[in-house]
Amino acid sequence: MTGWAIRNFKGIAPRAEPRLLQENQAQVATNCKLWHGSLRPLTANLFACNLSKTGVIQRIHRFGHDIASDSQYWFHWASDVDVCRGPIFGDVQERTYYTDGTLPKVTDATLALSGGGTDYPNVSYTLGVPAPAAAATVAASGSGTGIAETRVYTYTYVSAWGEEGKPATASAAIDVLPGQTVDLSALSVAPTGAYNIVSKRIYRSVSGTFGTDYLFVAEIPVANTTYSDAVATENLGETLPSATYSMPPATLRGLISLPNGMMAGFDGKDVYFCEPYKPHAYPLAYVMTVDYEVVALGATDTSLIVLTKGFPYVMQGSHPSNMAQVMLNSPQACVSKRSVAFLSGGVVYASPDGMFITNGGADPINLTEAIFTNAEWRTLFEPSSIHGYVYDDKYIGFYNTGAVQGGFIIDPKRGDFTMLDWYATAGYYDPQRDALFLVVGGVVVKFDEGASNLTASWRSKTFYSPRAINLGAVRVEAAAYPISIQIFADGTSIGTFSITSKFSQRLPAGFLANTWEFSVSTAVEVYSVSFAESMTELANG
């Protein structure tokens, strides 16, 4: 028998000539789910909700994870924004942190949903607590006797959430006799800006030497500009905890959560880490610098993957103070910040040579090396435009070449690459619901969850016979009928045929060809497609 049968459908591999593809690989595979082996169409996207902000939405984040409705509380922005929930003890307000390149911000349920409207988040604070602008002015008052104590004072701002910032510049040293009080004045009031500052904490040194620990004296309202200190040394409180804290850079980007209460972001070539469980504080001692400008951050296990315009780096450690940095021996730059996603096995990102994955323990692996040449990859997808998300252990990516917008699915387990004939501008994977939400046409939809199927298109390899033959019979096994199938002989279509049952069906005769191809268009599952020269051979094959 001369003929062919396809029973385990695979994705595309343009790198190979159509005649040299594997028997079950495709020249075209669009809107397909091939991870079951059969040819299944994706289901349509399910409408979830409208969004109120104007512009092309590039980032969405589901807020209010315990709310059942898919339509409520979507943070959304018409710009590239990084969002993560904070590791806050006892948090019942879902405190959420985000960076948009213009002042890092923080919000929670009270702020984000306040003020009416659905341009969530409606209200936010600037992330961090600044140091007071002015040093305290100090003067001793009253009379005293005995041995004088030399003191130095400082003070900090404190937010309504109990966050404490970097202290003010130290005051001048002052000698104080037992029995005297110290009057502090010129204490700065709350700074301008969207800060949540409600009070000031006053500290004083016990030895008078700058750099010696400061001990807590008192907490006063932020509006107060004076304080009279009569606290005995033995009644002083805890040591100043925030001496090394700093505000995050105004242009911090790439904010990401890590284990052990850490968060990280980047600015230029510098990677910043917060004080564990204190996302408002970014000590400069924790900053790590790499050789190339950072493009994006990714996390896998306890590793921070730092993707740059040159080599990728790995930073590992259980605390920001003991982080170790390693440069991976692979010059695979990240060309799209929004392409970065976590897939089982590591962090995926777009490079000029393909989609790479790394877990930090080895050099990055090119997931698309066997599918596209470097030139094909760059021409077809414009890698710098790619943004992607992970769903069901598959990478769902979207691209915009300027002339073409579309999408693709990478299934690393099967090595399949399939295309999408539609485009999304943003996405969010919800692990609580195991659902991927996308923004398509300006509205939020649930990927592959609709009531109807899309139309899947799958075109076979070019089958070659050294002897010119006529394939006179076809059989298609499918979940339902009819199935549309187009046949090509020596590159020319001989017609499109409607397959109406599981039984063999005749094809046109009267001509011979050396190469044969077929294309299936279906909204139902197809299990196999078989061809032979005759009905008898097909029945016996």
Side-chain angles (χ1 to χ4, degrees):
M1 167 184 146
T2 300
W4 297 275
I6 306 300
R7 294 186 176 89
N8 183 20
F9 295 84
K10 298 282 290 178
I12 64 173
R15 187 183 189 109
E17 289 295 324
R19 278 173 54 170
L20 301 180
L21 290 169
Q22 299 173 20
E23 294 293 292
N24 54 356
Q25 284 185 315
Q27 296 182 68
V28 174
T30 304
N31 297 338
C32 302
K33 288 194 288 191
L34 304 180
W35 39 95
H36 304 283
S38 61
L39 172 57
R40 291 187 186 183
L42 287 167
T43 59
N45 295 316
L46 178 66
F47 174 81
C49 71
N50 292 304
L51 297 173
S52 56
K53 288 181 181 175
T54 59
V56 178
I57 301 302
Q58 297 184 46
R59 185 66 163 95
I60 58 173
H61 173 81
R62 185 186 178 110
F63 188 80
H65 279 72
D66 294 331
I67 297 173
S69 172
D70 291 338
S71 64
Q72 285 187 286
Y73 309 146
W74 282 98
F75 289 3
H76 55 290
W77 297 268
S79 60
D80 178 22
V81 177
D82 303 282
V83 192
C84 56
R85 295 182 65 177
I88 305 299
F89 174 76
D91 179 26
V92 296
Q93 288 280 305
E94 202 168 322
R95 200 176 304 172
T96 302
Y97 298 79
Y98 60 98
T99 51
D100 56 12
T102 55
L103 294 177
K105 300 173 179 66
V106 57
T107 190
D108 65 6
T110 298
L111 297 170
L113 310 180
S114 66
T118 57
D119 284 358
Y120 306 125
N122 287 324
V123 179
S124 63
Y125 291 127
T126 298
L127 178 59
V129 179
T137 298
V138 294
S141 63
S143 58
T145 59
I147 300 174
E149 175 186 69
T150 302
R151 298 179 186 174
V152 176
Y153 284 83
T154 189
Y155 64 105
T156 62
Y157 288 136
V158 181
S159 77
W161 292 331
E163 301 165 327
E164 190 165 9
K166 187 175 183 177
T169 301
S171 71
I174 184 171
D175 292 330
V176 184
L177 294 170
Q180 286 187 307
T181 60
V182 177
D183 296 327
L184 283 72
S185 60
L187 301 176
S188 298
V189 296
T192 57
Y195 298 105
N196 189 22
I197 296 170
V198 295
S199 63
K200 292 190 280 258
R201 289 178 185 162
I202 297 171
Y203 295 85
R204 79 182 193 219
S205 67
V206 292
S207 68
T209 303
F210 183 76
T212 299
D213 286 343
Y214 289 93
L215 300 182
F216 176 75
V217 176
E219 184 164 350
I220 62 176
V222 71
N224 289 13
T225 59
T226 61
Y227 175 76
S228 183
D229 174 23
V231 179
T233 300
E234 60 270 21
N235 293 328
L236 296 175
E238 71 279 2
T239 301
L240 170 66
S242 59
T244 62
Y245 292 0
S246 291
M247 291 275 290
T251 52
L252 188 77
R253 300 186 67 202
L255 199 64
I256 190 170
S257 290
L258 299 169
N260 301 312
M262 293 185 288
M263 289 171 62
F266 68 88
D267 185 28
K269 297 191 294 183
D270 302 323
V271 179
Y272 289 76
F273 296 89
C274 77
E275 187 71 26
Y277 301 101
K278 297 184 185 299
H280 69 285
Y282 289 77
L284 294 180
Y286 297 161
V287 176
M288 301 189 77
T289 301
V290 295
D291 298 330
Y292 302 90
E293 187 174 343
V294 180
V295 176
L297 302 178
T300 172
D301 298 326
T302 58
S303 299
L304 177 68
I305 309 298
V306 182
L307 301 167
T308 76
K309 292 184 177 180
F311 288 74
Y313 295 76
V314 180
M315 296 179 180
Q316 292 178 314
S318 59
H319 190 278
S321 63
N322 61 25
M323 282 284 176
Q325 177 186 142
V326 176
M327 184 178 74
L328 298 181
N329 188 30
S330 181
Q332 290 299 333
C334 176
V335 294
S336 172
K337 177 175 173 291
R338 298 180 67 212
S339 71
V340 178
F342 175 77
L343 189 64
S344 178
V347 172
V348 183
Y349 67 97
S351 125
D353 297 336
M355 291 299 300
F356 279 75
I357 184 169
T358 180
N359 62 10
D363 291 340
I365 297 170
N366 190 341
L367 295 174
T368 55
E369 184 174 20
I371 301 170
F372 301 99
T373 65
N374 293 352
E376 288 169 339
W377 173 253
R378 295 167 193 169
T379 300
L380 291 172
F381 299 106
E382 183 54 57
S384 63
S385 75
I386 291 174
H387 60 99
Y389 317 91
V390 170
Y391 174 66
D392 197 20
D393 216 20
K394 297 165 185 63
Y395 184 89
I396 317 297
F398 299 92
Y399 65 94
N400 182 355
T401 68
V404 178
Q405 293 181 332
F408 59 85
I409 301 176
I410 302 176
D411 183 351
K413 291 182 179 178
R414 282 177 51 93
D416 281 338
F417 192 103
T418 57
M419 302 294 293
L420 303 171
D421 64 3
W422 49 275
Y423 182 71
T425 63
Y428 173 80
Y429 173 68
D430 185 344
Q432 185 171 327
R433 294 161 179 80
D434 189 25
L436 175 61
F437 293 89
L438 300 169
V439 178
V440 179
V443 303
V444 178
V445 298
K446 216 170 183 178
F447 173 68
D448 195 31
E449 296 257 356
S452 61
N453 289 342
L454 299 176
T455 298
S457 299
W458 194 91
R459 182 165 176 166
S460 72
K461 68 171 285 183
T462 299
F463 295 98
Y464 173 74
S465 171
R467 173 179 62 88
I469 61 174
N470 174 257
L471 291 181
V474 61
R475 182 174 64 220
V476 178
E477 295 180 87
Y481 299 91
I483 301 294
S484 177
I485 187 164
Q486 186 176 14
I487 312 296
F488 300 86
D490 284 342
T492 300
S493 174
I494 65 171
T496 299
F497 307 93
S498 179
I499 308 300
T500 57
S501 73
K502 64 180 180 180
F503 300 107
S504 302
Q505 184 169 318
R506 292 187 185 278
L507 294 174
F511 62 93
L512 302 175
N514 293 101
T515 64
W516 293 82
E517 305 166 37
F518 71 89
S519 178
V520 179
S521 181
T522 179
V524 299
E525 185 173 13
V526 174
Y527 306 117
S528 67
V529 179
S530 305
F531 291 89
E533 290 184 89
S534 68
M535 298 283 282
T536 301
E537 286 182 322
L538 196 59
N540 293 334

